[in-house]
């Protein structure tokens, strides 16, 4: 690797990091606004025009709040929990292809931090690491509500990871590769995977809701039963990290869903656009399209949150084990049969 | 047992059918309902800038009235304090001196008259008890403040502005 390549990668990492943090920040604002609109309200509108400085005010407040570590909490793990949560949330974006290769002069810039050939596997690894932050935090708080929340998070994530993995297997049978870059390339134009794997996508999005602990599956932080769930004892920016990691996770899983099923940066007529705008601008339009898809997904996440009430825990487990897993297996079998028949 | 009213309903618990168990139709229905609300006009009244109209018999902040000559009507009889269920009113009476006839209508007046707005429940009994029609709850909403002591309103805040001569 040349030095310029390394520098370009660093810049790319920095940009993606900044973008995911800003999007997470403004997701909190969007969530409040959207919630307000769904409830015939106005939402935050005091900090700046239309309240757009609300996230800054919230962040400032978080930093200035008193830092409380309970006496009987396990000090190191108590701090490690939220750190781990936000770290695993941030590293997921490394393998997502944000756009086609950009050509500026003689330079070809790959809009992806790491084009590893096991991208999907990497995402899964990171996602399953995410629950450790919650578990460690919940356990280290030495509080029964936190512990219950942590246990719930762990069992929920494990149950839904299975059906998520199974739904992905059917997709991998169609694509034949684990590399996210290749999966994205295959969906050129309008050959989006959602057309071949609608059931797989449905399973995936349900599991994504469960993995990101969003309503209707936000049982780990179920206020009505568990006070605050796994972050009951947290205050100040450590709480902020937990909340933030939820929003980053939402962003990353939206990006993954858009890439795996909804064509990533591809859109119908992209060849024409690419030919007319040149290799320096054209790929950026694709990136914009990808972000539009991501924002739609984030909106969908919020839409669902303000529509559906929380599941009961036994319903959650029933749904995961008795409905989603059999459905995912059936999906694999049918996909396999269809693929063999076509070949 | 015989039903005591005709409001009794027999609730039957049907097991969910397949479509209901699949959740999805119900979820889509719900999403459609929330989406309808998304485009609806917000019902919010942005309070300090916009105000909801008070009804005619709204009971807000008290004011101590003056008569047509601009003299305070209150005679410090204490009936309002006596009738107050929240014990929010205290007063100290004083005798009108010679030359103060243009300030106080009666021979006895309230030198200090305080209402603790944190205790007051805005029931309006003081208004009803007053024989001199001196106190009315015809003001605005009591504004927020930082300290408890600032909610004890004295005569400076309660008495109506003097008539301009
Ligand atoms: S309105 Fe009721 S509670 Fe308030 S001062 Fe008058 S009598 Fe007391
Ligand atoms: S306000 Fe009315 S009831 Fe109260 S002391 Fe004055 S005159 Fe008496």
């Amino acid at each position: 690797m040349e030095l310029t390549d390394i520098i370009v990668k660093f810049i790319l990492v920095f940009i993606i990091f900044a973008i995911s943090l800003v999007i997470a920040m403004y997701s909190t604002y969007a969530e409040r606004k959207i919630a307000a609109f769904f409830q015939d309200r106005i939402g935050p509108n005091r900090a700046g025009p239309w309240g757009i400085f609300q996230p800054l005010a919230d962040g400032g407040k978080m930093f200035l709040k008193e830092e409380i570590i309970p006496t009987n909490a396990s000090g190191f793990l108590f701090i490690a929990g939220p750190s781990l949560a936000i770290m695993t949330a941030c590293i997921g974006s490394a393998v997502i292809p944000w756009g086609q290769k950009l050509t500026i002069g003689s330079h070809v810039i790959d809009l992806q931090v790491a084009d590893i050939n096991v991208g999907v596997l990497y995402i899964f690894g990171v996602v399953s690491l995410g629950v450790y932050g919650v578990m460690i935090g919940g356990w280290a708080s030495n509080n029964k509500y936190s512990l219950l929340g942590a246990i719930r998070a762990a069992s929920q994530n494990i149950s839904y990871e299975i059906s998520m993995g199974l739904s992905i297997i059917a997709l991998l049978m169609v694509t034949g590769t684990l590399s996210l870059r290749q999966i994205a390339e295959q969906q050129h134009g309008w050959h989006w995977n959602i057309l071949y794997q609608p059931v797989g996508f449905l399973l995936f999005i349900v599991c994504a809701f469960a993995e990101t602990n969003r309503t209707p599956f936000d049982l780990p932080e179920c206020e009505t039963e568990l006070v605050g769930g796994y972050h009951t004892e947290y205050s100040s920016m450590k709480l902020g990290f937990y909340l933030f990691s939820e929003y980053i996770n939402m962003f990353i899983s939206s990006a993954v869903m858009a890439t795996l099923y909804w064509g990533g940066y591809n859109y119908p007529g992209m060849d024409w656009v690419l030919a007319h705008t040149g290799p320096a601008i054209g790929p950026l339009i694709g990136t914009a399209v990808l972000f539009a898809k991501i924002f739609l997904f984030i909106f969908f996440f919020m839409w669902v949150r303000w529509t559906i009430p929380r599941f009961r825990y036994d319903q959650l487990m029933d749904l995961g084990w008795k409905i989603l897993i059999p459905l995912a297996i059936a999906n694999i079998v049918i996909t396999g049969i269809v693929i063999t028949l076509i070949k | 047992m015989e039903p005591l009213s005709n409001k009794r309903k027999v609730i039957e618990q049907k097991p969910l059918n397949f479509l209901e168990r699949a959740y999805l139709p119900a979820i889509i229905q719900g999403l459609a309902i929330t989406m309808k609300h998304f485009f609806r006009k917000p019902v919010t009244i942005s309070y300090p800038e916009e105000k909801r109209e008070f009804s005619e018999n709204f009971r807000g902040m008290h004011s101590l009235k003056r008569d047509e000559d601009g003299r305070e009507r209150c005679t410090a009889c204490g009936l309002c304090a006596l009738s107050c269920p929240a014990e929010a009113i205290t007063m100290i009476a004083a005798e009108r001196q010679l030359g103060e006839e243009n300030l106080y209508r009666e021979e006895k007046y309230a030198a200090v008259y305080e209402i603790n707005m944190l205790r007051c429940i805005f029931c309006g009994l003081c208004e009803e008890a007053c024989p001199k029609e001196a106190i009315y709850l015809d003001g605005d909403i009591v504004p927020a403040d930082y300290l408890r002591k600032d909610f004890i309103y004295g005569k400076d805040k309660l008495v109506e502005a003097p008539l301009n001569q």
Side-chain angles (χ1 to χ4, degrees), chain A residues 2 4-5 8 101-110 279-280:
Chain A
E2 288 172 42
T4 46
D5 280 346
V8 166
K101 289 194 170 59
L102 207 58
T103 320
I104 299 175
S106 60
H107 270 292
V108 177
I109 300 171
D110 199 358

Side-chain angles (χ1 to χ4, degrees), chain A residues 34 37-42 45-46 202 299-300 303-304 306-308 311 315 319 323, chain B residues 21 23-24 27 30-32 34-35 37-44 46-49:
Chain A
I34 288 173
F37 291 152
F38 278 130
Q39 297 168 351
D40 299 341
R41 294 186 284 117
I42 294 178
N45 64 348
R46 295 286 142 151
L202 193 67
F299 177 77
F300 184 70
W303 186 8
V304 168
W306 299 105
T307 301
I308 308 175
F311 272 58
Q315 291 172 330
L319 181 70
I323 300 180
Chain B
R21 256 186 303 143
Y23 295 121
L24 279 182
I27 287 176
L31 289 175
T34 40
M35 203 25 117
H37 281 267
F38 194 82
F39 296 106
R40 224 174 252 184
K41 207 172 142 291
V43 295
T44 311
S46 309
Y47 167 59
E49 292 97 39

